[in-house]
Amino acid sequence: MDTKEIMDTTEKYYLPVFGRSPIALDHGEGVYLYDTDGNRYTDFLAGIAVNALGYAYPPLVKAVSDQAARIMHGSNLFYYEIQAKAAKQLCEVTTFDRVFFCNSGAEANEGAIKLARKYGHSKAPKKFKIITARDSFHGRTMETLTATGQDHYHEGLTPLPEGFVYVPFGDTAAMEAAMDDEVCGVLLEPIQGEGGVHVPPAGYLEKVKELCEKHDALLIFDEIQTGVCRTGYWFAWMHSGVKPDVLTLAKAIGGGFPMGAFLVQERLAHVFAPGDHGSTFGGNALSCASCYAAIKAMKEGELDKKAGETGAYFKKGLEALKAKYPDKVTDVRGLGLILGLELAKPGASLVQGALKKGFIINCTAGNVLRFVPPLIIGKEDIDALLKGLDELLAEF
């Protein structure tokens, strides 16, 4: 198919739920993507923080290919060496004790919510409330959509599941006011991604942890977007040292293959009894092979340190643009290689302008350019993007 036929066929048969850019991607190599017309793009989106190792990374390709030739799926009614290795490795890098593998970030958060509710129902009186933050994003199942603190995602879908309470992100007084002995869990992103790359103020996560301990509620961190080396540490919670009770992951842990997970400390290992939770495809051999190879590569390449160093360089360049265009750029936020450039007006036109210049970027929350490139991105590619943004902002 040529590009037009691909687009026309997709529009005819696929549900119209995505706002797509007018290109058809064909393949990738390193940090570059190529469309079906042969055009090259430098990727600063990474499949929305998924492709941490870029594209066609040889050890990852080999691991998936070798595993596909052996067994891709056989159900969780049996044991598999690669699942055991992936579980052990992920527990080691997260410093958690137990893991459950699923297929997506939404499923990871769904499982964490379910675990918090089961934990709360073991108490007397029963605890059932889940507190989340305004401007958060936790997934698109009915439960995780309800947990998402953005009203426009809820429109037309009522009645929503009960028991969710929303508070402003970073507001310790609001969190304290919402906490009571009916709360079984607090679900937060340590850095809000989809909501506009918001970093919490110093001391906020520490206070939330203190309140959770006071009210015997589980602290759940959604690190689906911020986890696995992206912020300059292996996980964003490590910046504050506030370790949650439950950690949810997806995106980069599969190296590009669909995978999610939630991890718990040992004291929560038996909240679920056999039969309380499960997944047909979660943790299948192919996804575990991809996860194991991806995490191994990140460890060996020390991509946490690389993301911190490269991200600091990138952020400095964005701050220079803010200084140059103070009437057009209102803020620069983020840590490591999750960065946001807040604009004074909607930024969709800049995304399309960047695409024409050969850069794939993203706009979230209406007016925040979000940059989550592969962790292997180089300074020369960052310089090229900054030059392109400079030209676009001059005409914005």
Side-chain angles (χ1 to χ4, degrees):
M1 293 183 180
D2 62 19
T3 300
K4 185 178 185 306
E5 188 178 1
I6 292 169
M7 293 170 63
D8 289 347
T9 304
T10 302
E11 292 301 319
K12 180 178 180 180
Y13 292 105
Y14 204 98
L15 277 175
V17 296
F18 299 112
R20 301 179 193 257
S21 294
I23 62 172
L25 295 176
D26 180 75
H27 68 281
E29 184 177 356
V31 299
Y32 306 113
L33 284 166
Y34 299 82
D35 68 17
T36 48
D37 295 323
N39 300 306
R40 190 184 87 166
Y41 306 87
T42 308
D43 184 16
F44 281 85
L45 182 59
I48 315 181
V50 170
N51 300 307
L53 296 168
Y55 301 90
Y57 181 71
L60 185 58
V61 172
K62 184 177 187 306
V64 172
S65 300
D66 289 350
Q67 187 61 53
R70 293 170 60 84
I71 184 171
M72 291 189 284
H73 174 74
S75 95
N76 283 307
L77 299 177
F78 306 96
Y79 293 94
Y80 305 90
E81 179 185 8
I82 190 59
Q83 187 184 78
K85 290 170 67 175
K88 179 176 184 288
Q89 179 177 246
L90 197 57
C91 285
E92 287 174 348
V93 298
T94 59
T95 73
F96 280 74
D97 301 304
R98 303 287 186 114
V99 63
F100 177 85
F101 288 129
C102 50
N103 308 286
S104 67
E107 287 183 45
N109 282 335
E110 188 92 15
I113 291 167
K114 190 174 169 181
L115 183 113
R117 285 270 170 83
K118 188 78 188 296
Y119 177 82
H121 275 237
S122 69
K123 307 298 177 179
K126 292 180 180 179
K127 303 155 70 68
F128 66 95
K129 292 181 185 176
I130 305 283
I131 297 176
T132 68
R134 289 288 176 190
D135 298 318
S136 62
F137 185 85
H138 298 294
R140 295 184 184 273
T141 65
M142 284 299 290
E143 198 84 16
T144 57
L145 196 70
T146 305
T148 293
Q150 300 187 55
D151 292 339
H152 69 93
Y153 284 114
H154 304 161
E155 293 172 3
L157 297 174
T158 55
L160 298 172
E162 298 179 352
F164 289 87
V165 179
Y166 310 104
V167 298
F169 186 64
D171 188 332
T172 54
M175 181 65 74
E176 189 162 13
M179 286 292 291
D180 59 35
D181 290 334
E182 291 184 329
V183 174
C184 65
V186 175
L187 171 60
L188 295 174
E189 299 159 275
I191 299 173
Q192 289 188 330
E194 201 73 23
V197 192
H198 295 289
V199 180
Y204 174 67
L205 297 178
E206 289 87 341
K207 181 62 176 179
V208 175
K209 176 72 170 178
E210 178 186 316
L211 289 168
C212 285
E213 291 176 347
K214 178 180 177 181
H215 292 276
D216 192 17
L218 300 185
L219 179 58
I220 307 164
F221 281 169
D222 173 346
E223 292 233 33
I224 289 159
Q225 192 164 146
T226 59
V228 198
C229 301
R230 180 148 299 277
T231 66
Y233 281 86
W234 267 94
F235 301 95
W237 69 262
M238 294 176 174
H239 288 275
S240 65
V242 177
K243 186 176 182 179
D245 300 298
V246 186
L247 181 69
T248 66
L249 302 172
K251 293 190 181 288
I253 65 166
F257 196 90
M259 191 179 203
F262 66 89
L263 297 102
V264 300
Q265 299 184 32
E266 184 62 31
R267 72 184 184 89
L268 302 174
H270 300 288
V271 171
F272 285 153
D276 283 348
H277 198 55
S279 172
T280 296
F281 291 108
N284 66 67
L286 196 57
S287 65
C288 285
S290 186
C291 174
Y292 184 78
I295 299 296
K296 182 174 184 287
M298 291 181 212
K299 286 172 63 179
E300 291 174 349
E302 297 186 318
L303 291 193
D304 53 336
K305 295 178 182 177
K306 178 175 172 58
E309 294 167 359
T310 309
Y313 179 85
F314 193 177
K315 190 174 185 180
K316 185 177 179 181
L318 293 175
E319 287 169 342
L321 290 177
K322 178 179 181 293
K324 185 173 181 178
Y325 300 103
D327 57 328
K328 301 178 182 182
V329 179
T330 58
D331 198 13
V332 175
R333 298 189 290 268
L335 293 170
L337 285 173
I338 176 170
L339 297 171
L341 187 78
E342 185 176 78
L343 304 169
K345 61 181 182 179
S349 64
L350 288 184
V351 174
Q352 294 307 312
L355 194 66
K356 291 176 181 177
K357 289 180 176 291
F359 302 102
I360 293 177
I361 65 173
N362 171 249
C363 184
T364 191
N367 67 328
V368 180
L369 299 184
R370 173 179 50 173
F371 307 99
V372 282
L375 304 182
I376 59 172
I377 196 81
K379 292 180 179 179
E380 64 282 359
D381 292 311
I382 292 170
D383 288 340
L385 175 67
L386 291 170
K387 181 177 182 295
L389 288 174
D390 191 350
E391 294 167 355
L392 291 169
L393 285 168
E395 301 173 357
F396 185 51

mmCIF file with all atom_site columns, all heavy atoms in Angstrom, residues 66-79:
data_model
loop_
_atom_site.group_PDB
_atom_site.id
_atom_site.type_symbol
_atom_site.label_atom_id
_atom_site.label_alt_id
_atom_site.label_comp_id
_atom_site.label_asym_id
_atom_site.label_entity_id
_atom_site.label_seq_id
_atom_site.pdbx_PDB_ins_code
_atom_site.Cartn_x
_atom_site.Cartn_y
_atom_site.Cartn_z
_atom_site.occupancy
_atom_site.B_iso_or_equiv
_atom_site.pdbx_formal_charge
_atom_site.auth_seq_id
_atom_site.auth_comp_id
_atom_site.auth_asym_id
_atom_site.auth_atom_id
_atom_site.pdbx_PDB_model_num
ATOM 1   N N   . ASP A 1 66 ? 14.171 -14.818 19.163 1.00 0.00 ? 66 ASP A N   1
ATOM 2   C CA  . ASP A 1 66 ? 14.518 -16.140 19.696 1.00 0.00 ? 66 ASP A CA  1
ATOM 3   C C   . ASP A 1 66 ? 13.375 -16.717 20.511 1.00 0.00 ? 66 ASP A C   1
ATOM 4   O O   . ASP A 1 66 ? 13.058 -17.911 20.413 1.00 0.00 ? 66 ASP A O   1
ATOM 5   C CB  . ASP A 1 66 ? 15.778 -16.051 20.560 1.00 0.00 ? 66 ASP A CB  1
ATOM 6   C CG  . ASP A 1 66 ? 17.039 -15.813 19.749 1.00 0.00 ? 66 ASP A CG  1
ATOM 7   O OD1 . ASP A 1 66 ? 16.973 -15.897 18.509 1.00 0.00 ? 66 ASP A OD1 1
ATOM 8   O OD2 . ASP A 1 66 ? 18.091 -15.532 20.363 1.00 0.00 ? 66 ASP A OD2 1
ATOM 9   N N   . GLN A 1 67 ? 12.740 -15.872 21.326 1.00 0.00 ? 67 GLN A N   1
ATOM 10  C CA  . GLN A 1 67 ? 11.646 -16.367 22.154 1.00 0.00 ? 67 GLN A CA  1
ATOM 11  C C   . GLN A 1 67 ? 10.438 -16.740 21.303 1.00 0.00 ? 67 GLN A C   1
ATOM 12  O O   . GLN A 1 67 ? 9.765  -17.745 21.575 1.00 0.00 ? 67 GLN A O   1
ATOM 13  C CB  . GLN A 1 67 ? 11.237 -15.311 23.186 1.00 0.00 ? 67 GLN A CB  1
ATOM 14  C CG  . GLN A 1 67 ? 10.218 -15.797 24.202 1.00 0.00 ? 67 GLN A CG  1
ATOM 15  C CD  . GLN A 1 67 ? 10.732 -16.956 25.033 1.00 0.00 ? 67 GLN A CD  1
ATOM 16  O OE1 . GLN A 1 67 ? 11.794 -16.891 25.628 1.00 0.00 ? 67 GLN A OE1 1
ATOM 17  N NE2 . GLN A 1 67 ? 9.975  -18.049 25.068 1.00 0.00 ? 67 GLN A NE2 1
ATOM 18  N N   . ALA A 1 68 ? 10.158 -15.952 20.265 1.00 0.00 ? 68 ALA A N   1
ATOM 19  C CA  . ALA A 1 68 ? 9.021  -16.251 19.385 1.00 0.00 ? 68 ALA A CA  1
ATOM 20  C C   . ALA A 1 68 ? 9.194  -17.609 18.711 1.00 0.00 ? 68 ALA A C   1
ATOM 21  O O   . ALA A 1 68 ? 8.205  -18.306 18.440 1.00 0.00 ? 68 ALA A O   1
ATOM 22  C CB  . ALA A 1 68 ? 8.869  -15.155 18.333 1.00 0.00 ? 68 ALA A CB  1
ATOM 23  N N   . ALA A 1 69 ? 10.431 -17.990 18.471 1.00 0.00 ? 69 ALA A N   1
ATOM 24  C CA  . ALA A 1 69 ? 10.699 -19.282 17.837 1.00 0.00 ? 69 ALA A CA  1
ATOM 25  C C   . ALA A 1 69 ? 10.544 -20.438 18.818 1.00 0.00 ? 69 ALA A C   1
ATOM 26  O O   . ALA A 1 69 ? 10.441 -21.600 18.383 1.00 0.00 ? 69 ALA A O   1
ATOM 27  C CB  . ALA A 1 69 ? 12.109 -19.278 17.233 1.00 0.00 ? 69 ALA A CB  1
ATOM 28  N N   . ARG A 1 70 ? 10.519 -20.129 20.121 1.00 0.00 ? 70 ARG A N   1
ATOM 29  C CA  . ARG A 1 70 ? 10.393 -21.187 21.141 1.00 0.00 ? 70 ARG A CA  1
ATOM 30  C C   . ARG A 1 70 ? 8.941  -21.313 21.602 1.00 0.00 ? 70 ARG A C   1
ATOM 31  O O   . ARG A 1 70 ? 8.294  -22.331 21.378 1.00 0.00 ? 70 ARG A O   1
ATOM 32  C CB  . ARG A 1 70 ? 11.300 -20.882 22.330 1.00 0.00 ? 70 ARG A CB  1
ATOM 33  C CG  . ARG A 1 70 ? 12.796 -20.960 22.009 1.00 0.00 ? 70 ARG A CG  1
ATOM 34  C CD  . ARG A 1 70 ? 13.634 -20.410 23.146 1.00 0.00 ? 70 ARG A CD  1
ATOM 35  N NE  . ARG A 1 70 ? 13.424 -21.149 24.388 1.00 0.00 ? 70 ARG A NE  1
ATOM 36  C CZ  . ARG A 1 70 ? 14.056 -22.288 24.705 1.00 0.00 ? 70 ARG A CZ  1
ATOM 37  N NH1 . ARG A 1 70 ? 14.930 -22.805 23.854 1.00 0.00 ? 70 ARG A NH1 1
ATOM 38  N NH2 . ARG A 1 70 ? 13.828 -22.882 25.843 1.00 0.00 ? 70 ARG A NH2 1
ATOM 39  N N   . ILE A 1 71 ? 8.447  -20.287 22.264 1.00 0.00 ? 71 ILE A N   1
ATOM 40  C CA  . ILE A 1 71 ? 7.054  -20.253 22.710 1.00 0.00 ? 71 ILE A CA  1
ATOM 41  C C   . ILE A 1 71 ? 6.698  -18.801 23.001 1.00 0.00 ? 71 ILE A C   1
ATOM 42  O O   . ILE A 1 71 ? 7.474  -18.073 23.626 1.00 0.00 ? 71 ILE A O   1
ATOM 43  C CB  . ILE A 1 71 ? 6.828  -21.144 23.968 1.00 0.00 ? 71 ILE A CB  1
ATOM 44  C CG1 . ILE A 1 71 ? 5.358  -21.153 24.348 1.00 0.00 ? 71 ILE A CG1 1
ATOM 45  C CG2 . ILE A 1 71 ? 7.692  -20.699 25.139 1.00 0.00 ? 71 ILE A CG2 1
ATOM 46  C CD1 . ILE A 1 71 ? 5.031  -22.174 25.437 1.00 0.00 ? 71 ILE A CD1 1
ATOM 47  N N   . MET A 1 72 ? 5.557  -18.362 22.502 1.00 0.00 ? 72 MET A N   1
ATOM 48  C CA  . MET A 1 72 ? 5.104  -17.005 22.766 1.00 0.00 ? 72 MET A CA  1
ATOM 49  C C   . MET A 1 72 ? 4.132  -16.968 23.942 1.00 0.00 ? 72 MET A C   1
ATOM 50  O O   . MET A 1 72 ? 4.176  -16.062 24.762 1.00 0.00 ? 72 MET A O   1
ATOM 51  C CB  . MET A 1 72 ? 4.435  -16.412 21.512 1.00 0.00 ? 72 MET A CB  1
ATOM 52  C CG  . MET A 1 72 ? 5.407  -16.139 20.384 1.00 0.00 ? 72 MET A CG  1
ATOM 53  S SD  . MET A 1 72 ? 4.665  -15.213 19.020 1.00 0.00 ? 72 MET A SD  1
ATOM 54  C CE  . MET A 1 72 ? 3.703  -16.505 18.220 1.00 0.00 ? 72 MET A CE  1
ATOM 55  N N   . HIS A 1 73 ? 3.268  -17.960 24.016 1.00 0.00 ? 73 HIS A N   1
ATOM 56  C CA  . HIS A 1 73 ? 2.230  -17.948 25.042 1.00 0.00 ? 73 HIS A CA  1
ATOM 57  C C   . HIS A 1 73 ? 1.844  -19.372 25.402 1.00 0.00 ? 73 HIS A C   1
ATOM 58  O O   . HIS A 1 73 ? 1.776  -20.247 24.540 1.00 0.00 ? 73 HIS A O   1
ATOM 59  C CB  . HIS A 1 73 ? 0.989  -17.203 24.535 1.00 0.00 ? 73 HIS A CB  1
ATOM 60  C CG  . HIS A 1 73 ? -0.176 -17.278 25.476 1.00 0.00 ? 73 HIS A CG  1
ATOM 61  N ND1 . HIS A 1 73 ? -0.207 -16.558 26.655 1.00 0.00 ? 73 HIS A ND1 1
ATOM 62  C CD2 . HIS A 1 73 ? -1.318 -17.999 25.434 1.00 0.00 ? 73 HIS A CD2 1
ATOM 63  C CE1 . HIS A 1 73 ? -1.339 -16.832 27.295 1.00 0.00 ? 73 HIS A CE1 1
ATOM 64  N NE2 . HIS A 1 73 ? -2.020 -17.694 26.570 1.00 0.00 ? 73 HIS A NE2 1
ATOM 65  N N   . GLY A 1 74 ? 1.596  -19.571 26.697 1.00 0.00 ? 74 GLY A N   1
ATOM 66  C CA  . GLY A 1 74 ? 1.155  -20.897 27.125 1.00 0.00 ? 74 GLY A CA  1
ATOM 67  C C   . GLY A 1 74 ? 0.276  -20.857 28.359 1.00 0.00 ? 74 GLY A C   1
ATOM 68  O O   . GLY A 1 74 ? -0.074 -21.893 28.898 1.00 0.00 ? 74 GLY A O   1
ATOM 69  N N   . SER A 1 75 ? -0.048 -19.661 28.844 1.00 0.00 ? 75 SER A N   1
ATOM 70  C CA  . SER A 1 75 ? -0.913 -19.378 29.995 1.00 0.00 ? 75 SER A CA  1
ATOM 71  C C   . SER A 1 75 ? -0.148 -19.438 31.314 1.00 0.00 ? 75 SER A C   1
ATOM 72  O O   . SER A 1 75 ? 0.890  -20.111 31.431 1.00 0.00 ? 75 SER A O   1
ATOM 73  C CB  . SER A 1 75 ? -2.138 -20.289 30.056 1.00 0.00 ? 75 SER A CB  1
ATOM 74  O OG  . SER A 1 75 ? -1.915 -21.408 30.882 1.00 0.00 ? 75 SER A OG  1
ATOM 75  N N   . ASN A 1 76 ? -0.705 -18.758 32.299 1.00 0.00 ? 76 ASN A N   1
ATOM 76  C CA  . ASN A 1 76 ? -0.094 -18.713 33.630 1.00 0.00 ? 76 ASN A CA  1
ATOM 77  C C   . ASN A 1 76 ? -0.454 -19.918 34.490 1.00 0.00 ? 76 ASN A C   1
ATOM 78  O O   . ASN A 1 76 ? -0.262 -19.891 35.713 1.00 0.00 ? 76 ASN A O   1
ATOM 79  C CB  . ASN A 1 76 ? -0.482 -17.409 34.322 1.00 0.00 ? 76 ASN A CB  1
ATOM 80  C CG  . ASN A 1 76 ? 0.313  -16.228 33.779 1.00 0.00 ? 76 ASN A CG  1
ATOM 81  O OD1 . ASN A 1 76 ? 1.533  -16.267 33.741 1.00 0.00 ? 76 ASN A OD1 1
ATOM 82  N ND2 . ASN A 1 76 ? -0.388 -15.191 33.334 1.00 0.00 ? 76 ASN A ND2 1
ATOM 83  N N   . LEU A 1 77 ? -0.946 -20.966 33.878 1.00 0.00 ? 77 LEU A N   1
ATOM 84  C CA  . LEU A 1 77 ? -1.155 -22.230 34.591 1.00 0.00 ? 77 LEU A CA  1
ATOM 85  C C   . LEU A 1 77 ? 0.136  -23.034 34.676 1.00 0.00 ? 77 LEU A C   1
ATOM 86  O O   . LEU A 1 77 ? 0.164  -24.107 35.279 1.00 0.00 ? 77 LEU A O   1
ATOM 87  C CB  . LEU A 1 77 ? -2.232 -23.066 33.893 1.00 0.00 ? 77 LEU A CB  1
ATOM 88  C CG  . LEU A 1 77 ? -3.626 -22.425 33.821 1.00 0.00 ? 77 LEU A CG  1
ATOM 89  C CD1 . LEU A 1 77 ? -4.579 -23.316 33.040 1.00 0.00 ? 77 LEU A CD1 1
ATOM 90  C CD2 . LEU A 1 77 ? -4.163 -22.160 35.227 1.00 0.00 ? 77 LEU A CD2 1
ATOM 91  N N   . PHE A 1 78 ? 1.210  -22.486 34.077 1.00 0.00 ? 78 PHE A N   1
ATOM 92  C CA  . PHE A 1 78 ? 2.503  -23.169 34.059 1.00 0.00 ? 78 PHE A CA  1
ATOM 93  C C   . PHE A 1 78 ? 3.620  -22.182 34.387 1.00 0.00 ? 78 PHE A C   1
ATOM 94  O O   . PHE A 1 78 ? 3.417  -20.971 34.405 1.00 0.00 ? 78 PHE A O   1
ATOM 95  C CB  . PHE A 1 78 ? 2.757  -23.799 32.676 1.00 0.00 ? 78 PHE A CB  1
ATOM 96  C CG  . PHE A 1 78 ? 1.643  -24.704 32.222 1.00 0.00 ? 78 PHE A CG  1
ATOM 97  C CD1 . PHE A 1 78 ? 0.652  -24.218 31.382 1.00 0.00 ? 78 PHE A CD1 1
ATOM 98  C CD2 . PHE A 1 78 ? 1.571  -26.020 32.647 1.00 0.00 ? 78 PHE A CD2 1
ATOM 99  C CE1 . PHE A 1 78 ? -0.393 -25.025 30.969 1.00 0.00 ? 78 PHE A CE1 1
ATOM 100 C CE2 . PHE A 1 78 ? 0.533  -26.842 32.247 1.00 0.00 ? 78 PHE A CE2 1
ATOM 101 C CZ  . PHE A 1 78 ? -0.455 -26.345 31.405 1.00 0.00 ? 78 PHE A CZ  1
ATOM 102 N N   . TYR A 1 79 ? 4.798  -22.714 34.661 1.00 0.00 ? 79 TYR A N   1
ATOM 103 C CA  . TYR A 1 79 ? 5.973  -21.899 34.944 1.00 0.00 ? 79 TYR A CA  1
ATOM 104 C C   . TYR A 1 79 ? 6.812  -21.741 33.679 1.00 0.00 ? 79 TYR A C   1
ATOM 105 O O   . TYR A 1 79 ? 6.816  -22.609 32.802 1.00 0.00 ? 79 TYR A O   1
ATOM 106 C CB  . TYR A 1 79 ? 6.838  -22.564 36.024 1.00 0.00 ? 79 TYR A CB  1
ATOM 107 C CG  . TYR A 1 79 ? 6.203  -22.626 37.383 1.00 0.00 ? 79 TYR A CG  1
ATOM 108 C CD1 . TYR A 1 79 ? 5.498  -23.753 37.798 1.00 0.00 ? 79 TYR A CD1 1
ATOM 109 C CD2 . TYR A 1 79 ? 6.317  -21.559 38.282 1.00 0.00 ? 79 TYR A CD2 1
ATOM 110 C CE1 . TYR A 1 79 ? 4.916  -23.819 39.059 1.00 0.00 ? 79 TYR A CE1 1
ATOM 111 C CE2 . TYR A 1 79 ? 5.742  -21.612 39.543 1.00 0.00 ? 79 TYR A CE2 1
ATOM 112 C CZ  . TYR A 1 79 ? 5.035  -22.744 39.920 1.00 0.00 ? 79 TYR A CZ  1
ATOM 113 O OH  . TYR A 1 79 ? 4.460  -22.803 41.163 1.00 0.00 ? 79 TYR A OH  1
#
